[in-house]
Amino acid sequence: MDSASGAGASDPNSGGEGPSATRSAAAAEGSSPAPPSRYESQKRRDWNTFLQYLKNHKPPLTLARCSGAHVIEFLKYLDQFGKTKVHITGCPYFGHPNPPAPCACPLKQAWGSLDALIGRLRAAYEENGGRPESNPFGARAVRIYLREVREGQAKARGIPYEKKKRKRPNATAATVVENVSVAPYTNSRAWPKP
């Protein structure tokens, strides 16, 4: 046994088990790639689910013939598996963030889940050979639909959706310095001394 392989065995923290041992063994072999990240795994599952949806569509659709309208239809199909209570306008709890009792309003997919799903599918489409300009997940109709879902769910819960505001620098940090003269910069010498 050479010294490089013996060093790992004597390390009490490595134990030859766990993710670090697997990574170092894979790196030593150089043949097996690292497992996909959680995001990549989810993106692959979402992509396969969408392709299955197209296959089961009546009539079956090909990816090349898929449009933004089909994507919206897919998102509406997913609502049946949602877990977010969205109160309808006739519900006595419409506009209440924490209703005191249960109601018969439908469960739907949350806007944030749909937005993240579209982001993953948009990336997967392009990774699987689709052209960005023909990406149905980036269609204007899909963006409008997502905006309507966001606004509708915010009204139903009584919580207005507010865009995250950019942090602006403090007035003290952005003070104006007066009466400062700056000599023009030339390449022949360093900055002039005051």
Side-chain angles (χ1 to χ4, degrees), residues 4-5 20-32:
S5 61
S20 61
T22 308
R23 274 193 299 258
S24 58
E29 291 174 16
S31 60
S32 49

Side-chain angles (χ1 to χ4, degrees), residues 168-179:
R168 295 186 182 173
N170 295 338
T172 56
T175 55
V176 177
V177 179
E178 295 181 18
N179 298 328

Side-chain angles (χ1 to χ4, degrees), residues 37-38 42 57 59 63 81 85-86 96 116 149 165 174:
S37 68
R38 184 175 168 204
Q42 185 66 53
H57 191 272
L63 191 57
F81 308 110
K85 178 77 72 169
V86 180
H96 292 280
V149 168
K165 295 179 182 174

Side-chain angles (χ1 to χ4, degrees), residues 34-49 117 120-121 124 127:
S37 68
R38 184 175 168 204
Y39 170 80
E40 292 295 329
S41 298
Q42 185 66 53
K43 185 168 57 172
R44 187 181 317 112
R45 276 193 303 272
D46 293 339
W47 182 246
N48 290 336
T49 302
L117 171 70
R120 290 188 301 267
L121 289 173
E127 287 174 8

Side-chain angles (χ1 to χ4, degrees), residues 75 79 84-87 94 108-116 118 141-164:
L75 296 178
D79 271 342
T84 301
K85 178 77 72 169
V86 180
H87 300 289
F94 182 82
K108 295 188 173 191
Q109 290 287 342
W111 165 77
S113 299
L114 294 177
D115 188 49
I118 289 299
V142 174
R143 291 195 311 270
I144 291 170
Y145 175 76
L146 286 174
R147 186 181 328 126
E148 289 171 356
V149 168
R150 181 187 71 205
E151 291 169 358
Q153 289 185 4
K155 283 180 188 172
R157 295 179 60 216
I159 301 172
Y161 175 78
E162 295 176 8
K163 228 178 187 181
K164 291 182 181 176

Side-chain angles (χ1 to χ4, degrees), residues 66-128:
C66 181
S67 68
H70 296 112
V71 173
I72 292 171
E73 191 179 294
F74 174 66
L75 296 178
K76 289 179 180 179
Y77 158 77
L78 290 177
D79 271 342
Q80 66 183 310
F81 308 110
K83 298 175 188 164
T84 301
K85 178 77 72 169
V86 180
H87 300 289
I88 56 176
T89 48
C91 177
Y93 303 126
F94 182 82
H96 292 280
N98 300 310
C103 65
C105 292
L107 293 173
K108 295 188 173 191
Q109 290 287 342
W111 165 77
S113 299
L114 294 177
D115 188 49
L117 171 70
I118 289 299
R120 290 188 301 267
L121 289 173
R122 191 173 184 175
Y125 178 84
E126 293 175 15
E127 287 174 8
N128 286 284

